[in-house]
């Protein structure tokens, strides 16, 4: 008798015996959780690659190498994960293009370089923000979706009590337990998503800050270069 009761209260038994609505809620939450974890691993890998690319390129950039040589090297062997390399290539390409045009004002050259690098930074920002809206949505809505499943399950349990002559804890416990599983799964989906969102958002802001700093420093170098050559 006790073995049957324990088996009836097992996790799988509670899930399989839950109402269709509660099972649907659980399925949605599990799917959201699995998708979140896939995105978390992908984002972690991308950010690690971006960090390596940023450090490697900045080390090459500040090593004193000729900018034209560095541009040729970056073009012949580009690193798609290095955002700062894409910014450098965009800025130097625009600088070289405008410098080859006769009669272009140095300030116009620098304005073009500034626009080109800002566009490149915006593209890198979009790459860094991919998946963040989904993680934010999972983190903010999963507890409420789980709570909806819990409320629905408890409602069904109390409706079932109305048909029973004598209500006991053993009668109502399975229904409430299966309903609470939905809330547990909702929290299981939400907590990692919230933690990952905050971490990725903070790291993304750090990368963007370093990109803007590099762009400003690179512009200063090009500004000196264009005005020195004109003199």
């Amino acid at each position: 008798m006790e073995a049957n009761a324990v088996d009836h209260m097992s996790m799988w038994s509670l899930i399989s015996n839950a109402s269709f609505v509660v099972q649907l809620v659980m399925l949605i939450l599990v799917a959201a959780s699995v998708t979140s974890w896939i995105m978390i691993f992908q984002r972690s890998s991308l950010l690690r690659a971006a960090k390596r690319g940023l450090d490697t390129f900045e080390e090459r950039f500040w090593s004193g190498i000729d900018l034209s040589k560095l541009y040729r090297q970056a073009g012949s062997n580009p690193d798609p994960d290095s955002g700062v390399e894409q910014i450098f290539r965009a800025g130097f390409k625009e600088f070289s293009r405008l410098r080859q045009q006769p009669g272009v004002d140095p300030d116009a050259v620098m304005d073009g370089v500034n626009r080109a690098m800002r566009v490149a930074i915006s593209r890198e920002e979009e790459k860094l923000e991919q998946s963040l809206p989904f993680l934010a949505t999972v983190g903010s809505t999963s507890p409420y979706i789980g709570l909806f499943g819990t409320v629905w399950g408890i409602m069904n349990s109390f409706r079932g009590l109305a048909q029973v002559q004598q209500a006991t804890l053993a009668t109502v416990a399975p229904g409430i337990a299966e309903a609470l599983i939905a809330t547990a799964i909702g929290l299981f989906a939400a907590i990692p998503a919230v933690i990952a969102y905050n971490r990725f958002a903070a790291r993304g802001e750090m990368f963007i800050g370093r990109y803007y700093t590099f762009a400003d420093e690179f512009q200063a170098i090009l500004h000196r270069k264009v005005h020195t050559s004109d003199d």
Side-chain angles (χ1 to χ4, degrees), residues 193-204:
V194 171
I195 294 173
Y197 172 83
N198 290 333
R199 181 172 181 269
F200 294 155
R203 293 201 66 188

Side-chain angles (χ1 to χ4, degrees), residues 5 11 15 37 56 80 121 134 148 150 163 174 205 218 229:
M11 188 70 67
I15 293 174
W37 278 107
T56 301
I121 291 175
F134 180 83
F148 168 77
T150 297
Q163 303 173 6
E205 290 179 3
F218 185 37
S229 60

Side-chain angles (χ1 to χ4, degrees), residues 25 90 115-116 138 180 198 205 210 212:
V25 167
R115 286 193 300 271
V138 171
L180 290 174
N198 290 333
E205 290 179 3
R210 290 187 64 176
Y212 274 109

Side-chain angles (χ1 to χ4, degrees), residues 41 105 143 156 209 212:
F41 286 121
D105 185 72
N156 283 340
Y212 274 109

Side-chain angles (χ1 to χ4, degrees), residues 137-160:
T137 300
V138 171
S140 60
T141 62
S142 291
Y144 296 104
I145 296 174
L147 184 60
F148 168 77
T150 297
V151 171
W152 188 274
I154 292 176
M155 284 171 53
N156 283 340
S157 296
F158 280 110
R159 286 173 59 191

